[in-house]
């Protein structure tokens, strides 16, 4: 019998990688033979968590059907975010906190979806439901995912359940939530060794809005100015990529993870429409977005409404 592989989405974030690890541990305790794998390299932030809690980096795979018949998905369900040959394997289980779209299976499966801020908040419940104790280091990884997905409990996606889960996991892991949380978020904010392309696209998605094709990237920092110092370089890269990919508007949301504010660098002929959407003025190519940290909840809906 081949191992069951467990993985999160492509371009994995901390939740994608650590929920594969924590869910695999739980499944193995329950008698399954599973291995957590990843659909991409760990980010600096995820690597910090893995090092801190002395966990192994999951093996990176680009296909699974050559080595496994069965898989379990965490932190995603949509086929285009999953492994390239997902249609060739049996999906036994999904644990996720996203919308369900472009997902189908030929066999019955275990599916657990809850509208919380992080997959590991759901996995904590699963540990409790099965009466399985969580080892210190796994608790630390799960905590790291909640901190990452909720920006230390400050994102509007964060629920009371995420907060309670974070405090409980911090206790088990033996770390101080606030100080570990800040260290973890800071670890993912180094932009000095990144190219303009990496800063723009490491976490970027396309959104069709009315007649507009809008590209929105987001980068977490502790010093917004460090990115704005490279504004000319970033704008010329946005110009180039907009021509190549037919983007009508390109936004880079630069989020200060300690202050919970953002500044958006805005490129495109109709960028005044972006400014109008937020009822702000563009000053030196940027919009000040006070209190904005979530692209999903605070940027996309505002722009979609204005451009559609
Ligand atoms: Mn994720
Ligand atoms: Mn997540």
């Amino acid at each position: 019998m081949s191992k069951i592989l467990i993985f999160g989405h492509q371009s994995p974030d901390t939740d994608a990688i650590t929920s594969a690890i924590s869910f695999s541990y739980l499944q193995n305790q329950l008698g399954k033979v599973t291995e957590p794998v990843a659909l991409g390299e760990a980010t600096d932030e995820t690597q910090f968590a893995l090092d801190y809690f002395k966990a192994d980096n999951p093996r990176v795979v680009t296909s699974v059907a050559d080595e496994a018949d069965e898989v379990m998905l965490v932190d995603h369900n949509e086929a285009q975010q999953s492994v390239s040959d997902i249609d060739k394997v049996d999906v036994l289980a999904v644990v996720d906190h996203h919308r369900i779209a472009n997902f189908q299976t030929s066999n019955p499966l275990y599916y657990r979806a809850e509208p919380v801020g992080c997959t590991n908040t759901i996995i904590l419940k699963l540990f409790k439901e099965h009466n399985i104790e969580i080892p210190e280091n796994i608790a630390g990884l799960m905590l790291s995912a909640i901190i990452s997905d909720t920006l230390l409990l400050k994102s509007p996606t964060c629920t009371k359940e995420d907060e309670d889960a974070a405090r409980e996991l911090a206790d088990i892991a033996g770390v101080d939530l606030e100080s570990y949380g800040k260290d973890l978020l800071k670890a993912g904010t180094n932009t000095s060794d990144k190219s303009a392309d990496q800063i723009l696209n490491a976490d970027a998605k396309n959104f069709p809005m009315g007649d507009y094709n809008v590209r929105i990237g987001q980068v977490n920092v502790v010093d917004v100015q460090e990115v704005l110092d490279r504004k000319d370089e970033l704008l010329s890269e946005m110009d180039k990529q907009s021509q190549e990919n037919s983007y009508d508007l390109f936004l880079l949301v630069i989020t200060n993870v300690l202050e919970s504010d953002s500044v958006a660098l805005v490129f495109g002929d109709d960028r005044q429409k972006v400014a109008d959407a937020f009822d702000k003025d563009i000053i030196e190519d940027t919009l000040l977005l006070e209190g904005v940290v979530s692209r999903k909840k605070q940027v996309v809906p505002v722009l979609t409404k204005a451009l559609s």
Side-chain angles (χ1 to χ4, degrees), residues 9 13-16 19 74-76 96-98 116-120 145-146 148-149 296:
H9 52 82
D13 52 18
T14 298
D15 193 29
S19 59
V74 287
D75 200 37
H76 77 296
D96 190 22
H97 67 123
H98 294 92
V116 292
C118 181
T119 300
N120 273 293
I146 297 175
S148 171
D149 268 8
K296 178 165 68 177

Side-chain angles (χ1 to χ4, degrees), residues 192-234:
S192 57
D193 60 348
K194 304 262 190 321
S195 66
D197 174 53
Q198 284 172 318
I199 292 172
L200 292 170
N201 293 303
D203 177 14
K205 292 176 180 167
N206 292 340
F207 299 90
M209 298 179 181
D211 294 332
Y212 292 86
N213 180 18
V214 185
R215 178 81 168 167
I216 308 177
Q218 186 170 25
V219 61
N220 290 343
V221 299
V222 287
D223 179 10
V224 171
Q225 197 54 43
E226 186 180 302
V227 176
L228 290 180
D229 284 346
R230 296 170 66 182
K231 193 176 75 181
D232 294 342
E233 182 194 354
L234 288 164

Side-chain angles (χ1 to χ4, degrees), residues 4-8 23 27 32 34 70-74 76 90-95:
I4 299 164
L5 297 182
I6 303 183
F7 46 88
F23 194 53
Q27 289 296 327
K32 294 268 197 305
T34 75
E70 298 171 320
V71 301
M72 296 180 178
L73 310 184
V74 287
H76 77 296
D90 245 349
V91 179
L92 299 185
V94 178
V95 183

